[in-house]
Amino acid sequence: MKIENIEMRRVTLPLVTPFRTSFGTAYERETTLVRVTTANAEGWAEHAAEPDPLYSSEFLDGGDLVIRDHLIPRLQALGDRLTADRVATALAPVKGHPMSKAVLETAILDAQLKETGVSFGDHLGAVHERVPAGVSVGIMDSHEELLDAVGRYLDEGYLRIKLKIEPGWDVVPVRAVRERFGDDVLLQVDANTAYTLADARHLAQLDPFNLLLIEQPLPEDDLLGHAGLAKLITTPVCLDESIESARDAAAAIALGACSVINVKPARVGGYLEARRIHDVAAANGVPVWCGGMLETGIGRAANVALAALPNFVMPGDTSASNRYYTQDLTAPFVLEDGHLAVPTGPGIGVDVLPDVLNELTTRTTDIRF
Ligand code: NPQ
Ligand code: MG
């Protein structure tokens, strides 16, 4: 495939409400969009990093630089042999930077699929027309505020609630949600690495609440710690930040460090590696679900397609657009009966709204290919 141009466009979307996690509070979503132009198509993807390297080591300005100076030149060297399948191998000599690699591979895959008229879902192996939606609920200033938010999401139809936790905001809010909304609500928690193995006895106090899982309680490089923790608590341990590849997934499963995996395409270098993680997990009887990075409609569309693969057996953080944005960059993803429809059009299957895009753009860089 011959690429003519790559545009990098920084956009900022206001969030409907601040989103607090154990690593910080987001008030808006800033991202770099990548637009790949070929003779017959235009592929889109969004960078998953934030302005600050707090979720992982990647951050947006660093991503822009590594894409421009280190990744795009390696793709240019492929010339007309460039296909989405060859991106990861071409970029492998550059250490790390999975989110920057992912945004390029995804935009190229989108352009390629649009050229051939194939949807992301069909290309990846989707087996469902719609996927169940969960929602990630931030840390709040009070339990009243939390119960209000959870109540509203349940009324909207969300099929699973994930509470963000940190030391000082864990057992008590979980108990409050169980007492208010009952034992039937599918409920899980996400610590974003905020604990250590020394907290095992404290985290065991979550055992009675029948949580689906506890996500990434310990630091990302502490696989042995997670394996140890998994023996000390009954809540299933799920990994997010620790898993950056299918090989990481295989190692974590073999060590007993997790019994569930949150698959985020951006964190693992793209949708093709994400599918390999799905396959490794399936071969080991480990369920997976699709995580989220506050994607706009562009990233959300591709995530929803991935979430329709057979081993995505738990509801993901694939929420409706209005969970985060009053005005999305695409037609909004809307909850229907607690589900989101998998797009069926070519590529990601959604169009970027030009007026909204222009209004939210803060700068644009063109790289002739
Ligand atoms: C997680 N996502 O599963 C992440 C973390 C996260 C939906 O909980 C801006 C950009 C803010 C990315 C906040 C959810 C973010 C972000 C949290 C990712 O760990
Ligand atoms: Mg997480």
Side-chain angles (χ1 to χ4, degrees):
M1 190 174 67
K2 188 167 164 40
I3 293 177
E4 293 175 351
N5 191 70
I6 294 187
E7 177 189 86
M8 294 172 63
R9 188 185 270 264
R10 187 65 71 91
V11 295
T12 303
L13 286 79
L15 287 174
V16 290
T17 151
F19 186 45
R20 179 170 158 204
T21 68
S22 65
F23 60 84
T25 306
Y27 298 89
E28 53 192 19
R29 180 62 171 124
E30 193 173 349
T31 182
T32 297
L33 303 179
V34 169
R35 181 199 333 225
V36 166
T37 309
T38 64
N40 306 301
E42 205 177 80
W44 287 90
E46 67 181 89
H47 206 293
E50 291 185 88
D52 298 325
L54 302 179
Y55 166 81
S56 71
S57 64
E58 292 183 89
F59 62 104
L60 276 181
D61 285 344
D64 289 356
L65 273 183
V66 84
I67 288 170
R68 190 192 69 191
D69 294 346
H70 300 283
L71 302 183
I72 287 181
R74 287 176 186 273
L75 298 182
Q76 285 168 328
L78 288 180
D80 293 356
R81 286 173 299 133
L82 177 60
T83 60
D85 273 335
R86 292 185 171 139
V87 169
T89 306
L91 303 183
V94 175
K95 306 287 190 191
H97 300 284
M99 293 177 180
S100 292
K101 293 172 178 175
V103 69
L104 283 174
E105 184 191 83
T106 306
I108 290 166
L109 180 57
D110 185 34
Q112 188 177 312
L113 294 178
K114 282 169 174 160
E115 289 222 341
T116 51
V118 178
S119 71
F120 252 65
D122 283 347
H123 181 73
L124 293 173
V127 295
H128 305 291
E129 289 175 0
R130 58 178 209 160
V131 298
V135 61
S136 179
V137 184
I139 296 165
M140 309 260 166
D141 292 332
S142 70
H143 292 117
E144 267 157 59
E145 214 184 318
L146 175 71
L147 294 173
D148 269 9
V150 170
R152 269 183 284 112
Y153 290 133
L154 290 173
D155 288 346
E156 288 177 41
Y158 283 104
L159 297 171
R160 183 227 69 189
I161 300 290
K162 162 168 137 180
L163 302 184
K164 290 294 196 175
I165 60 167
E166 66 182 1
W169 183 267
D170 45 33
V171 178
V172 181
V174 166
R175 180 183 299 118
V177 168
R178 274 286 182 242
E179 281 178 356
R180 174 73 65 91
F181 300 105
D183 293 332
D184 291 344
V185 172
L186 299 181
L187 185 64
Q188 63 192 53
V189 294
D190 185 0
N192 288 110
T193 77
Y195 297 88
T196 72
L197 190 52
D199 296 312
R201 289 214 296 189
H202 176 72
L203 293 172
Q205 292 182 64
L206 294 169
D207 287 349
F209 299 109
N210 248 304
L211 301 178
L212 291 169
L213 56 90
I214 179 170
E215 180 179 347
Q216 200 67 44
L218 310 183
E220 55 272 30
D221 59 356
D222 195 8
L223 284 188
L224 284 181
H226 283 99
L229 179 66
K231 295 204 178 89
L232 297 171
I233 64 176
T234 61
T235 308
V237 173
C238 171
L239 290 176
D240 173 356
E241 288 90 329
S242 291
I243 307 298
E244 292 198 345
S245 66
R247 196 175 331 155
D248 286 348
I253 293 167
L255 283 169
C258 65
S259 50
V260 185
I261 294 174
N262 169 345
V263 180
K264 282 179 187 163
R267 191 194 67 223
V268 306
Y271 288 82
L272 304 181
E273 188 71 6
R275 181 173 57 185
R276 288 191 279 272
I277 294 176
H278 164 275
D279 295 348
V280 165
N284 285 278
V286 168
V288 306
W289 54 280
C290 185
M293 296 293 284
L294 281 55
E295 285 85 355
T296 73
I298 295 171
R300 195 163 299 278
N303 283 352
V304 169
L306 179 72
L309 268 61
N311 193 38
F312 281 80
V313 290
M314 304 173 77
D317 284 342
T318 43
S319 307
S321 294
N322 72 0
R323 157 66 183 89
Y324 296 110
Y325 308 112
T326 34
Q327 175 63 66
D328 206 337
L329 291 175
T330 65
F333 280 83
V334 178
L335 220 52
E336 285 166 40
D337 199 16
H339 291 69
L340 296 181
V342 178
T344 54
I348 59 173
V350 294
D351 294 319
V352 179
L353 301 170
D355 294 348
V356 181
L357 178 69
N358 286 331
E359 195 177 315
L360 300 178
T361 297
T362 53
R363 77 180 118 95
T364 305
T365 311
D366 266 307
I367 299 166
R368 289 301 302 175
F369 220 67

